[in-house]
Amino acid sequence: QAVAASLPDSVRREERPRGQTGVRVKRGQDFLSPRERRAVQVLFAAVGALLLIACANLANLLLARALARQREFAVRCALGAGRGRIMQQVLAESVSLALAGGVLGVGVAWLALRVIVALRPPALDHLADVRLDPAVLLWCLGVSVATGILFGSAPALFAGAQVAGDVLRRETRGGSQGRTSRRVRSALMVLEIAASLVLLVGSGLLVRSFTALQRMPLGFEPHGLVYADVLLGGRPFRDRRVEIRDAIVGRLRSLPGVTGVAIGVMPGKAFVAYGGLEAETDNAGHTTHVPLLGTVFITRDYFQVARIAVVEGRLPDSSIVMPTNGPPLGMSPEVLVNREFARRVWPHGRPIGARVREAGGFPAGRIEPWSTVVGVVDDTRMPEVHGDVAAVQVYSLVPRRLGDVPIIVRTAMSGDASAPMIKHAIASVHPAVFVRPTLSGDTYLRNGLAPTRFAMALITVFAVLAVVLAAVGLYGVIAYGVSQRTREIGVRVALGAEPNTVMRLVVGGGVRLAAAGVVIGVAVAIAVTRVLESMLYAVSPADPLTFGAVVLLITAIALLASYVPARRALRIDPADALRAD
């Protein structure tokens, strides 16, 4: 809980090159993206549900303990202790337990934080700066005290409400107070099962989504691909950018194992054109504004190196030479668009031959020239961008004045193994060349999956803990019920009840509690899992397979937790039960 609570106050957005995003930790800032904020909220909800289950277990144990101490409390009252004093004692015990658990929990959180930081994927490197701070520790102290008071109140009220004379005169187990206590404990057990089901459903949805992400069609081949970002914007390259750029490409093509080199960003990234484009939609000259899209500056062999399919039309004319006096990021006379661009702008028409141009030229009032769409290429997706809709992209030939030169290299070897060699080869062309850290396609893919994998692992751990707590709680409720019904079961056996009848009697109580919890949990999960929708891919928040599997799992656990006390009930000797009564 402390780890999750520290995130919203410590993570901010960091400036990165266009087309790239990242986060780093800096205390006192809060610039979480909506998706990151949603992930933190989901973790908070998971931890809150786990805390609720643990507290319900604690309340069940305290209620059972209060029932077992009825005679003790009655004797204390008979000797002059007031009801307030009895309630104060029980409440003090529950708060002491909660505080002890809170102190132990902070220690476990400190150790867990070290484990999480040590196991963090490279894409979540900013977690290294997350720390437990005094505000979080005070918050945990407050939660511990509040839960101790809240969930200790029911046992305290029950203990204080007993009438000493009635308790001392009562020889039989049961009665109205016993029924009330059983109802409260059963309600808490139903709450535990429902909360466990919600956590299991959330974990199951994330697991299925992660599996679907791993099988997601990317539209390109990441294995054997290496990306390098080269900066040629300084004074030494003012008049030699094209020359140095060509020298770098030639040097890379001569490396052993390299099968292709092209200029262009790693598929899935793009330079964001904030002004958007105007696109002609028909022969009459009607235009549509495309407000936000990615512009990818490429050489003609980019699609071959990245292995992106050209599904319609052709590549730009090889004779096109970009002017040296044009705008630094101006589009070429012939461009290609991806399927998503064509689907949105020309849903019923043919994009080939249509024209597009940049909107909102600089300086203000500048009218950019038209570019003709000559081809449509396949969509490229990345797991880090959830959803079935691909990004809108337009591909243009590289401007001659482009200072930030992205390069992709196709190798016959592993991309991770080739990346250092490629970076060294680029740096050797000119001493002033600056190369950002190279990125292999495999690492790119792993980094894209890392946030989902990490959130899935955390919520799965919470769900497993919740199921264990719920199973232990259900076992405790059933076992305590068997101990309270020893005389009844003994009489039934003495009167000739069959073992199967006793088994159904005990197991049926657990199954009824599980059924009630499942019904409530399914209803809550259907409403709550809508929050996960932005974190899911190719999986519905109400996925019937996930819900069905979780319901079967909860039912199986309930049967197992009920079976052990039922076996114990079968071993009750009627004579011993009646003699003890």
Side-chain angles (χ1 to χ4, degrees):
Q1 184 80 350
V3 175
S6 65
L7 283 175
D9 188 48
S10 62
V11 182
R12 76 173 179 86
R13 180 65 48 184
E14 179 190 21
E15 290 295 330
R16 292 289 180 90
R18 286 176 298 178
Q20 302 181 38
T21 58
V23 291
R24 71 181 180 89
V25 173
K26 183 176 181 181
R27 190 165 302 283
Q29 301 291 334
D30 182 12
F31 292 97
L32 287 173
S33 70
R35 188 171 150 214
E36 290 164 340
R37 189 179 299 277
R38 180 61 56 84
V40 172
Q41 291 170 349
V42 168
L43 288 178
F44 263 122
V47 173
L50 192 60
L51 178 64
L52 186 64
I53 293 170
C55 290
N57 258 345
L58 175 63
N60 255 326
L61 291 172
L62 291 176
L63 274 173
R65 190 181 183 192
L67 277 172
R69 299 172 65 187
Q70 285 184 91
R71 186 171 294 276
E72 173 196 339
F73 294 145
V75 171
R76 286 176 179 269
C77 290
L79 294 177
R83 292 182 180 180
R85 181 69 183 87
I86 299 297
M87 293 177 63
Q88 182 181 356
Q89 176 188 348
V90 176
L91 202 57
E93 291 175 357
S94 66
V95 172
S96 298
L97 285 174
L99 282 175
V103 172
L104 181 61
V106 169
V108 173
W110 181 78
L111 290 174
L113 178 58
R114 295 175 66 89
V115 172
I116 290 173
V117 170
L119 298 179
R120 71 189 185 280
L124 300 176
D125 190 62
H126 56 280
L127 288 179
D129 294 328
V130 176
R131 298 287 185 272
L132 298 181
D133 57 39
V136 173
L137 295 179
L138 287 175
W139 183 80
C140 291
L141 175 64
V143 168
S144 298
V145 174
T147 52
I149 294 174
L150 178 62
F151 289 90
S153 297
L157 291 173
F158 172 77
Q162 300 298 298
V163 178
D166 293 343
V167 173
L168 294 175
R169 284 191 300 267
R170 191 161 56 222
E171 293 295 332
T172 60
R173 294 188 175 104
S176 62
Q177 291 294 340
R179 287 195 297 270
T180 302
S181 174
R182 284 197 297 271
R183 289 169 184 166
V184 172
R185 288 186 288 111
S186 297
L188 290 173
M189 193 62 252
V190 169
L191 178 65
E192 286 188 54
I193 294 174
S196 301
L197 186 142
V198 172
L199 280 180
L200 273 177
V201 167
S203 174
L205 289 175
L206 285 177
V207 170
R208 281 180 51 76
S209 178
F210 183 74
T211 303
L213 280 172
Q214 290 182 306
R215 298 196 301 262
M216 180 180 70
L218 303 177
F220 71 101
E221 177 53 62
H223 306 297
L225 197 63
V226 179
Y227 170 69
D229 203 2
V230 184
L231 299 183
L232 302 178
R235 185 180 297 273
F237 308 109
R238 179 168 299 175
D239 300 321
R240 302 181 57 199
R241 287 175 185 160
V242 177
E243 176 188 344
I244 298 296
R245 192 168 67 198
D246 293 343
I248 291 173
V249 171
R251 178 74 179 88
L252 291 175
R253 284 175 176 162
S254 66
L255 294 177
V258 172
T259 59
V261 181
I263 293 178
V265 295
M266 180 72 83
K269 296 181 179 291
F271 294 95
V272 178
Y274 291 102
L277 292 180
E278 285 183 334
E280 282 188 340
T281 56
D282 55 32
N283 295 331
H286 296 115
T287 60
T288 297
H289 182 64
V290 183
L292 186 63
L293 71 152
T295 303
V296 184
F297 295 107
I298 60 167
T299 50
R300 292 184 77 254
D301 48 0
Y302 174 82
F303 303 105
Q304 179 182 357
V305 174
R307 296 182 182 171
I308 300 174
V310 179
V311 297
E312 187 178 357
R314 59 174 176 83
L315 296 175
D317 191 341
S318 59
S319 63
I320 295 177
V321 178
M322 298 296 290
T324 57
N325 58 351
L329 299 180
M331 293 201 314
S332 58
E334 293 183 347
V335 297
L336 293 91
V337 298
N338 67 339
R339 286 179 186 264
E340 183 62 22
F341 193 129
R343 185 189 67 80
R344 293 191 190 184
V345 179
W346 302 281
H348 305 294
R350 190 168 185 268
I352 304 300
R355 299 192 301 171
V356 296
R357 68 180 176 187
E358 293 182 84
F362 183 83
R366 175 188 175 94
I367 300 177
E368 300 294 340
W370 289 102
S371 299
T372 303
V373 177
V374 297
V376 178
V377 300
D378 203 1
D379 294 327
T380 58
R381 297 181 174 91
M382 274 305 296
E384 61 185 356
V385 183
H386 295 331
D388 294 321
V389 178
V392 174
Q393 292 181 333
V394 57
Y395 296 85
S396 170
L397 292 179
V398 178
R400 296 175 66 85
R401 293 173 57 190
L402 185 66
D404 190 354
V405 182
I407 298 176
I408 59 171
V409 182
R410 172 68 60 185
T411 69
M413 302 179 294
S414 166
D416 291 326
S418 305
M421 175 184 66
I422 290 171
K423 182 177 181 179
H424 177 73
I426 295 173
S428 66
V429 172
H430 193 283
V433 168
F434 177 76
V435 187
R436 291 193 177 98
T438 52
L439 178 67
S440 71
D442 295 321
T443 301
Y444 182 48
L445 190 59
R446 286 194 299 268
N447 291 348
L449 290 169
T452 301
R453 181 192 292 113
F454 198 68
M456 178 195 70
L458 286 179
I459 294 182
T460 300
V461 169
F462 294 152
V464 170
L465 289 175
V467 169
V468 171
L469 286 175
V472 171
L474 182 60
Y475 169 80
V477 168
I478 301 299
Y480 185 78
V482 170
S483 68
Q484 292 295 95
R485 301 173 68 181
T486 300
R487 181 177 182 273
E488 174 195 341
I489 294 174
V491 170
R492 286 176 180 269
V493 174
L495 293 177
E498 295 293 331
N500 290 340
T501 303
V502 177
M503 179 72 74
R504 286 196 300 269
L505 177 68
V506 177
V507 174
V511 171
R512 282 192 293 272
L513 290 178
V518 164
V519 171
I520 296 174
V522 167
V524 174
I526 290 175
V528 170
T529 51
R530 299 291 177 186
V531 179
L532 290 174
E533 190 166 6
S534 63
M535 301 176 64
L536 301 178
Y537 170 76
V539 178
S540 168
D543 179 51
L545 181 60
T546 302
F547 274 80
V550 169
V551 167
L552 289 177
L553 178 61
I554 291 290
T555 303
I557 292 173
L559 288 173
L560 182 62
S562 304
Y563 177 76
V564 177
R567 292 286 299 175
R568 183 180 300 172
L570 291 177
R571 293 196 295 267
I572 293 176
D573 188 342
D576 292 342
L578 295 174
R579 188 181 305 115
D581 188 64

